[in-house]
Amino acid sequence: MWGYDADPMTAITLDGVRKTFGSTVAVDSVSLRIADGHLFFLLGPSGCGKTTLLRMIAGFIEPGRGTIRFDDQDVTRLPPEKRQTGMVFQNYALWPHMTVVENVAFGLKVRKVSGAERDDRVAAALKAVRMQDYGRRTPNQLSGGQQQRVALARALVIEPKVLLLDEPLSNLDARLRSEMRREIRRLCSETGITTVYVTHDQVEALSMADELAVLRDGRVMQVGKPRDVYQRPDNRFVADFLGDTNFISAEVVGAEAGELILHAPMGNVRARGLHEDTPRSGNLTCSIRPEAWRLGAAAGNGAAGNHWPGTIVDSMYHGEAARHEIELAGDVTIHALELNPQQRPPGANVEVNVDPADVVVLAD
């Protein structure tokens, strides 16, 4: 490890945490367990309560109800300075009149860490974020990405048990965001610090998280590993929020060999990979991701029965892929993503198919 001396393996438990501001419920009875050493994302649209939740973990806001624990320690009423957390803000919050070294050392001076140890820890933290050659510069002499690295170093240098990141990359351009995602993922992996990361950016969460929680109106809608939550959403909100999808209304008409047989406007649909909460009767909704569709021959790959003729309505070429709008029978229009695409002009006939395992069944 890069000189990080504290034991960073800290689990976080939230039990029935609730917070209101006047008549507005910002966080509504949230219970979560964040495993030690994990990079955990709080993901959701603006106003869903994710930043309020992060600030309660930090100690900046006190819950109205519920408890927050770091391992076995109840920190619900503990002030921020006694929680051993490091915070990285959206706007970096660097002192403009201080050099990079002085900014990173600030928290250690407040904690009265001795000069020699302070210098060593600042040097180690700057090396960890690859900013060791910029120590004498001031923030206005740095790019946005460099300022964010300094903010990370300042949070890491105090050797926190928990690292908290509040939309840290939202002010960066696309290239820098991609670069910083890799850097943050690397730092979390190297240090083993339990990290809670707030964002509304689905790509950040899916590409970086060990686990994530999707929030809506102060409530947790689903918790899980990124791939699981993306591929098997529990409800329509999660399916719609985490990337693009096609929603198709259907009705259960039977079951066979572990598959549900559904009647949809364009014909029967078979769905596999069901879980205990999957509706087994009545009206429901199918969610099928654009990349799950296959264009061309209907046979093979377990998709027997899930194939329909269609007509290209529109096609957008992206080079390595094309996004097609396709009209099926019953006035059903789908979006399909085709890699290494063929040229498919509007009006062209095409056959589409989808594996039953890629049909996610949601309650209507």
Side-chain angles (χ1 to χ4, degrees), residues 294-328:
R294 298 291 178 263
L295 279 62
N301 298 323
N306 278 359
H307 55 89
W308 307 274
T311 304
I312 299 289
V313 176
D314 191 22
S315 186
M316 187 171 293
Y317 181 67
H318 297 293
E320 77 283 0
R323 183 180 176 83
H324 306 296
E325 184 178 340
I326 304 171
E327 188 176 275
L328 308 181

Side-chain angles (χ1 to χ4, degrees), residues 66-235:
T67 59
I68 301 172
R69 294 181 180 276
F70 290 177
D71 290 332
D72 295 327
Q73 181 186 15
D74 187 340
V75 300
T76 311
R77 313 296 171 199
L78 207 63
E81 64 272 15
K82 294 186 178 180
R83 296 195 185 197
Q84 288 184 265
T85 61
M87 188 87 172
V88 179
F89 297 94
Q90 181 177 348
N91 62 355
Y92 318 139
L94 301 177
W95 298 103
H97 62 286
M98 292 183 179
T99 65
V100 165
V101 165
E102 290 168 341
N103 266 284
V104 175
F106 183 80
L108 297 178
K109 287 185 177 180
V110 170
R111 289 165 175 77
K112 303 190 184 308
V113 176
S114 66
E117 181 185 352
R118 184 171 68 236
D119 292 345
D120 289 344
R121 284 168 62 174
V122 169
L126 286 175
K127 184 177 180 180
V129 299
R130 300 172 182 174
M131 288 293 291
Q132 63 268 34
D133 297 330
Y134 297 84
R136 295 184 179 181
R137 296 191 185 184
T138 56
N140 64 0
Q141 296 174 309
L142 304 176
S143 68
Q146 290 169 336
Q147 289 183 53
Q148 191 57 277
R149 289 170 187 263
V150 175
L152 273 169
R154 184 181 57 187
L156 290 169
V157 78
I158 63 172
E159 298 183 346
K161 288 186 175 181
V162 173
L163 180 63
L164 305 172
L165 307 174
D166 188 6
E167 305 214 39
L169 309 184
S170 60
N171 292 328
L172 303 182
D173 62 35
R175 184 185 64 80
L176 282 174
R177 279 201 304 273
S178 178
E179 180 181 321
M180 286 304 301
R181 284 174 196 148
R182 291 193 295 271
E183 285 299 297
I184 291 171
R185 178 72 259 184
R186 176 184 65 82
L187 285 167
C188 291
S189 177
E190 287 182 0
T191 61
I193 302 173
T194 305
T195 303
V196 185
Y197 189 124
V198 160
T199 187
H200 63 272
D201 188 317
Q202 299 94 326
V203 174
E204 276 182 22
L206 292 172
S207 63
M208 295 172 64
D210 292 313
E211 280 195 301
L212 59 87
V214 182
L215 281 77
R216 180 188 188 189
D217 297 333
R219 290 181 173 271
V220 174
M221 304 301 291
Q222 188 171 351
V223 180
K225 297 182 183 301
R227 185 181 294 273
D228 295 339
V229 177
Y230 179 81
Q231 293 184 341
R232 311 305 300 181
D234 284 348
N235 52 70

Side-chain angles (χ1 to χ4, degrees), residues 348-361:
N349 294 323
V350 65
E351 193 164 60
V352 299
N353 67 83
V354 64
D355 192 305
D358 290 323
V359 179
V360 179
V361 178

